[in-house]
């Protein structure tokens, strides 16, 4: 698959969730350049989307819904004084392992 230049890890599609009272924004994340056709729920994307929609909507806590097949809700708690976004949601373990480092 050939991807154009102009983005690094992926592409986020998003919009305000006007028809969903408990959700502030909806999104999808695609990363074909790094082998991810569509990520089910992308925490790193919500760390950018949270402040964007928080500013647009005048809120310090926003909720995003990622609309993949599995989908999920991510609550974004904005902490602009600390330069941080706390994300809250449920997770699905997809891989587990053990890392050994020889010292």
């Amino acid at each position: 698959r050939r991807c154009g230049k102009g983005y690094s890890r992926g592409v986020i599609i998003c919009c305000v969730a006007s028809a969903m009272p408990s959700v502030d924004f909806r999104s999808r994340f695609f990363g074909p350049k790094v082998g991810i056709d569509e990520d089910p729920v992308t925490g790193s994307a919500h760390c950018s989307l949270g402040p964007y929609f928080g500013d647009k909507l005048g809120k310090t806590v926003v909720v995003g819904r990622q609309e993949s097949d599995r989908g999920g809700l991510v609550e974004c708690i904005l902490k602009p004084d600390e330069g941080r976004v706390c994300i809250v949601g449920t997770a699905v373990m997809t891989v587990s392992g053990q890392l050994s480092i020889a010292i």
Side-chain angles (χ1 to χ4, degrees):
R1 206 180 314 202
R2 184 178 172 156
C3 297
K5 294 182 180 182
Y7 72 93
S8 56
R9 200 181 74 142
V11 176
I12 304 168
I13 310 296
C14 60
C15 66
V16 172
S18 56
M20 303 175 89
S22 61
V23 175
D24 296 300
F25 64 92
R26 299 165 71 182
S27 66
R28 293 179 78 177
F29 180 88
F30 304 93
K33 203 173 189 181
V34 293
I36 302 169
D37 289 336
E38 181 172 11
D39 195 350
V41 183
T42 314
S44 60
H46 284 82
C47 287
S48 296
L49 293 171
Y52 175 79
F53 283 101
D55 186 50
K56 264 188 135 15
L57 301 172
K59 295 181 169 187
T60 57
V61 177
V62 291
V63 176
R65 165 126 182 103
Q66 191 151 333
E67 299 287 352
S68 63
D69 285 341
R70 187 175 82 208
L73 294 172
V74 179
E75 180 180 17
C76 305
I77 303 163
L78 312 178
K79 299 189 173 204
D81 295 342
E82 299 174 29
R84 299 182 337 162
V85 177
C86 294
I87 57 173
V88 178
T90 57
V92 173
M93 185 181 304
T94 58
V95 176
S96 85
Q98 188 173 27
L99 176 64
S100 298
I101 300 174
I103 298 178

